[in-house]
Amino acid sequence: MRYFPLFATILATVGVYSVRSAPPSAAGQPQVNVGTATSHTGTATTAPSTSASSAPLPSVTVTINGQTLVYPPLDRTPNTNDPIVQQWLKELNLGSNVPNLPQSNGGVVNFDSANCQPPTTILPNQGSWTCQKVIRPDDKVQCPQKGVWGLTYDDGPSLSTPALLNTLNSNNLKATFFVIGSRVVSFPETLKAAYAKGHNIAIHTWSHPALTSVSNEGIVAELKWCMKAVKDVLGVTPIYMRPPFGDTDDRVRAITRAVGLWTVIWTEGFDTDDWSLRTGPGLKTQNADHVIGIFQGWMKQLPTMTHGFIVLEHDLFPQTVAAAQSVLGIAVKQPGLTIQTVPQCLGDSTPYLEVGGKPPALTSANTSNANNSTGSSLADTSSNSSDPVAHAASTSDASLSIIYSVLPVTLISLALSLNFGHL
Ligand SMILES: [Zn+2]
């Protein structure tokens, strides 16, 4: 999607102050505190052994399923000096399993527009989806069966997600939600509600950076913190992941596989364009008809397509959810169209590690062009997690809503008016 880094920064910043100034949470609501810890325990039983060497950053403490858990600052790539991240890196032992490819934008996190321009260097064999539109054999980009729509929503859970869930549930539809870890710990009850109704939960990083611009260690931190957040809330670990902006290459793919995740992008051309449904000063505002028109165009292609498709949509903003609801209202009446989650359409009935899910084994197929020799499967590395199994709890997402409800409209407009490129 078009995701807005400044928006995220504002969100995080305002979130810090709003949470600090929030009144005490009522009974049953999650306790959210922002501190200045230099390390994160992540579980109730693992104490940090060392402090991070970098300057202290605010951490977020959340009570989930009766456990007090500490997470990295929201909407920022987590500190890779954190002892937990260091432990993950030690377990993964990435070493030569990851090809030595340059980070986009000289390693400075960017959001798509600069990915293919200097100082970014794209090698001929880099396997970049963003810049070269390279799809590797393990990438999931379509549903194999004709007439099947792999329904996906990115960037939640959010305040808008419950409305979308209502529409999906009332139509007995199941979707894959590629969730952001920072949103998961902000809206754990919404995530539980989606999971409880049979929707598929998948990974979309902790803070939504363009992963090709992030270091190897940073990518591990982005993926594993998101995986941990989902595990803390649901008790299961997803095995599917979508890179923000679709931004991947053979380096990102190798790390994604190493942590136990399949890469899912979307079918070329099957972006609903819902990111354009934003408002703000000086913006050309699209409305839901724009998205509906795109959807109807796909339906005209349906009879001649030889395979199904995976569509990109979002559940972050009210406008995108409203568009999704409109499209679904038409789609359920469309002859010859079957709507499924991504794992369903791929024939995978166990999309979580703890229920028999099968993460990708490392193979040389996807990295051969990058002269990468891969070792044995690292599938077991994720199953070694010491994360506690989640238990039922009576928390709600209400107090986290404060973060969003206090965002000044002017700041939202400012953030939304900046276009950093989509996805
Ligand atoms: Zn996204």
Side-chain angles (χ1 to χ4, degrees):
M1 69 157 284
R2 288 187 188 268
Y3 187 82
F4 309 95
L6 181 57
F7 175 76
T9 301
I10 292 170
L11 196 70
T13 304
V14 176
V16 168
Y17 291 112
S18 64
V19 170
R20 278 177 171 159
S21 60
S25 297
Q29 293 180 344
Q31 305 295 309
V32 182
N33 299 294
V34 176
T36 54
T38 56
S39 59
H40 314 296
T41 64
T43 73
T45 56
T46 306
S49 56
T50 59
S51 295
S53 59
S54 57
L57 292 171
S59 57
V60 178
T61 303
V62 185
T63 300
I64 295 176
N65 295 325
Q67 297 188 71
T68 301
L69 302 174
V70 182
Y71 294 97
L74 301 179
D75 301 303
R76 303 182 201 172
T77 292
N79 183 355
T80 56
N81 291 321
D82 186 304
I84 280 190
V85 178
Q86 288 293 310
Q87 180 62 30
W88 288 333
L89 290 166
K90 185 179 174 186
E91 291 171 359
L92 290 170
N93 189 24
L94 294 174
S96 60
N97 288 327
V98 179
N100 183 21
L101 296 171
Q103 294 170 233
S104 66
N105 204 34
V108 177
V109 172
N110 65 56
F111 295 82
D112 180 54
S113 62
N115 270 351
C116 311
Q117 303 161 15
T120 293
T121 300
I122 301 293
L123 303 180
N125 59 0
Q126 190 151 338
S128 168
W129 185 88
T130 310
C131 302
Q132 300 167 310
K133 284 291 177 285
V134 171
I135 297 170
R136 296 301 193 201
D138 274 0
D139 295 349
K140 312 301 182 188
V141 298
Q142 64 188 37
C143 296
Q145 193 174 343
K146 178 182 169 73
V148 176
W149 172 3
L151 186 63
T152 75
Y153 298 100
D154 292 10
D155 300 351
S158 77
L159 288 174
S160 301
T161 304
L164 177 60
L165 289 175
N166 284 341
T167 299
L168 293 170
N169 297 340
S170 63
N171 287 282
N172 198 28
L173 298 172
K174 308 300 180 197
T176 291
F177 288 87
F178 290 98
V179 297
I180 297 174
S182 295
R183 303 283 77 74
V184 167
V185 301
S186 300
F187 300 101
E189 295 306 309
T190 304
L191 189 77
K192 286 185 194 175
Y195 180 69
K197 287 292 185 182
H199 299 289
N200 170 233
I201 308 302
I203 300 299
H204 200 44
T205 72
W206 174 260
S207 72
H208 207 276
L211 287 178
T212 62
S213 62
V214 178
S215 69
N216 292 359
E217 295 79 9
I219 295 170
V220 169
E222 283 281 351
L223 297 175
K224 291 287 283 186
W225 271 115
C226 185
M227 296 164 76
K228 173 174 165 44
V230 173
K231 174 79 182 288
D232 288 342
V233 174
L234 300 180
V236 294
T237 308
I239 61 170
Y240 291 93
M241 165 271 195
R242 173 174 282 159
F245 317 96
D247 186 41
T248 193
D249 62 11
D250 287 343
R251 183 177 68 91
V252 176
R253 285 185 183 92
I255 299 169
T256 301
R257 280 196 305 276
V259 302
L261 296 168
W262 294 96
T263 294
V264 180
I265 308 182
W266 57 89
T267 307
E268 182 68 27
F270 283 74
D271 174 355
T272 54
D273 215 16
D274 64 355
W275 47 263
S276 66
L277 303 175
R278 62 196 191 279
T279 57
L283 288 178
K284 179 185 176 184
T285 304
Q286 301 283 7
N287 59 36
D289 289 343
H290 176 67
V291 172
I292 292 170
I294 290 173
F295 171 76
Q296 289 173 330
W298 298 337
M299 293 305 97
K300 290 177 182 170
Q301 298 179 43
L302 207 57
T304 57
M305 289 182 68
T306 58
H307 54 77
F309 49 90
I310 296 173
V311 172
L312 176 68
E313 292 183 85
H314 302 89
D315 61 322
L316 182 58
F317 296 116
Q319 299 96 320
T320 61
V321 166
Q325 291 169 314
S326 297
V327 167
L328 289 173
I330 301 171
V332 294
K333 301 170 188 167
Q334 179 71 35
L337 183 65
T338 301
I339 297 176
Q340 295 183 333
T341 68
V342 167
Q344 281 176 333
C345 93
L346 297 174
D348 182 355
S349 60
T350 55
Y352 305 101
L353 194 64
E354 292 78 5
V355 293
K358 292 186 170 45
L362 289 183
T363 66
S364 59
N366 292 339
T367 51
S368 57
N369 289 341
N371 193 30
N372 175 48
S373 100
T374 57
S376 59
S377 168
L378 290 178
D380 289 343
T381 54
S382 288
S383 62
N384 292 336
S385 168
S386 59
D387 297 344
V389 174
H391 300 287
S394 57
T395 56
S396 76
D397 297 335
S399 65
L400 269 298
S401 303
I402 295 168
I403 294 174
Y404 296 85
S405 61
V406 300
L407 273 174
V409 171
T410 50
L411 286 180
I412 294 175
S413 297
L414 171 64
L416 298 187
S417 69
L418 298 173
N419 181 355
F420 287 84
H422 83 288
L423 316 175

